Amino acid sequence: MLDYSALRAVSAVVQTGSFEKAAGLLNVTPSAVSQRVKQLEERLGIVLIVRGNPCTATEKGEWLCRHMENVGMLETELFDHLPALLDPTESEPRVTLHIATNADSLGTWFLTAMSNFASRSPYLLNIAIDDEDHTAEWLRRGQVVAAVTSLEKPVPGCRRMSLGALRYHATASPDFIARHFPQGVTAQAIGNAPALTFNQKDRLQSRWMRQVFGEDLSPPAHWLPSTQGFIEASLSGMAWGMNPTALVREHLASGRLVELIPETPLDVPLYWQMNRLAADQLLDLTREVTTVAKHHLLGL
């Protein structure tokens, strides 16, 4: 039989980042939280929480937390139908849904979907950011219950839905173009022109160069982990970068930004993948994500 008081203690420590804050959340003493976690770890023979500042979950601890997330969603649904089960002396527990998405989706359309959902849902949201080629790993590791990903193949144990494609343009300021491409945007010239790179996982610039020039090129790069920072850096003439249509449309229309090579967009297909066990409880969230995506992404 599962000891749910211990499971909730582990989940609360991971959620809040400390035993003290978890104690406040559970309305018990820090000593009680520590004892419950320790007893569960000893029973299982594994470490569930990496003690630190903040405390974090191990891989097994993450799976336990996602189980508690699923339990919380089921309990929320149950309480809607049987409110008498709730203890009137205690506040109704708030379940936090862990979701992963890429930064550009968050900066263009995904936040609208999350806001629409949160405005009429009792759930809280914890949104993690990673490259669209890597958010599926969060699902595989059990760190999230759903993710926006570029992976078309369903993650084991997950359902997949197509959302559409996020369109990017290789853009720079007119001044940057004049300085670095006086003879036109050639493979040789772009190999020497500074580009913007979000992080080590970012392959958008490389994919666009492969698509346009048919070869792998490695231009010098500025590292800038910010969607809005990409826009500002492009406008300032710092470098060229791959920017979503929604964020550069007005700048392109005004001439503050120009495409390196006109009519050469890069379309990145996106998918919504969710844990199959939680899919029914995530119907409202999925409906909001797919509806907003339909209005902002290109059809596939």
Side-chain angles (χ1 to χ4, degrees):
M1 194 71 171
L2 294 177
D3 182 356
Y4 275 96
S5 65
L7 299 185
R8 289 190 175 90
V10 171
S11 180
V13 171
V14 174
Q15 179 180 338
T16 62
S18 77
F19 284 78
E20 290 74 17
K21 291 180 180 178
L25 185 65
L26 299 174
N27 198 29
V28 297
T29 66
S31 176
V33 173
S34 180
Q35 185 176 17
R36 291 174 188 179
V37 172
K38 182 179 179 181
Q39 288 177 345
L40 182 59
E41 289 179 325
E42 290 177 347
R43 173 187 169 189
L44 298 176
I46 57 175
V47 176
L48 297 171
I49 294 176
V50 179
R51 276 69 168 173
N53 188 21
C55 294
T56 57
T58 63
E59 182 179 359
K60 298 299 184 182
E62 289 285 2
W63 281 106
L64 186 150
C65 290
R66 295 297 75 76
H67 170 75
M68 290 306 297
E69 197 171 335
N70 290 332
V71 169
M73 285 188 283
L74 291 171
E75 287 183 346
T76 297
E77 185 177 22
L78 180 63
F79 293 151
D80 285 340
H81 295 286
L82 296 171
L85 289 174
L86 278 170
D87 186 340
T89 64
E90 298 181 0
S91 59
E92 185 175 351
R94 300 290 297 274
V95 178
T96 299
L97 304 180
H98 293 71
I99 301 164
T101 187
N102 58 313
D104 289 333
S105 286
L106 187 64
T108 53
W109 66 274
F110 192 68
L111 186 57
T112 298
M114 296 299 97
S115 297
N116 292 347
F117 171 74
S119 67
R120 56 177 183 272
S121 169
Y123 296 123
L124 302 174
L125 299 172
N126 184 342
I127 301 174
I129 303 296
D130 204 345
D131 185 87
E132 63 273 4
D133 291 338
H134 295 268
T135 48
E137 288 299 320
W138 292 67
L139 277 168
R140 288 193 183 98
R141 295 194 300 263
Q143 293 177 285
V144 298
V145 293
V148 175
T149 173
S150 61
L151 182 67
E152 182 178 7
K153 183 180 179 180
V155 172
C158 293
R159 295 180 185 174
R160 177 196 63 82
M161 302 180 68
S162 175
L163 294 175
L166 186 58
R167 172 162 286 184
Y168 291 85
H169 300 274
T171 57
S173 69
D175 175 67
F176 184 90
I177 297 291
R179 282 187 287 121
H180 292 276
F181 307 113
Q183 306 302 320
V185 182
T186 63
Q188 181 179 359
I190 206 167
N192 295 312
L196 294 169
T197 300
F198 195 89
N199 57 27
Q200 291 89 340
K201 300 175 181 178
D202 183 9
R203 300 295 298 165
L204 289 178
Q205 288 68 226
S206 297
R207 290 171 62 179
W208 180 81
M209 289 184 286
R210 162 61 65 176
Q211 174 180 291
V212 173
F213 299 105
E215 58 181 303
D216 294 320
L217 300 168
S218 300
H222 295 295
W223 301 84
L224 188 61
S226 165
T227 295
Q228 189 57 41
F230 260 50
I231 306 297
E232 298 300 329
S234 298
L235 288 167
S236 71
M238 178 179 174
W240 70 273
M242 300 300 297
N243 291 306
T245 301
L247 301 183
V248 296
R249 184 181 290 111
E250 292 184 4
H251 296 308
L252 290 171
S254 68
R256 291 190 295 271
L257 288 177
V258 294
E259 288 190 85
L260 269 61
I261 300 178
E263 306 301 324
T264 58
L266 176 69
D267 295 335
V268 178
L270 296 175
Y271 304 90
W272 177 243
Q273 297 215 32
M274 74 211 87
N275 185 300
R276 188 178 290 115
L277 294 176
D280 290 342
Q281 284 69 48
L282 296 176
L283 284 177
D284 288 343
L285 177 64
T286 296
R287 187 180 301 110
E288 201 61 60
V289 168
T290 54
T291 298
V292 174
K294 182 178 180 180
H295 287 88
H296 289 81
L297 302 180
L298 300 174
L300 296 175

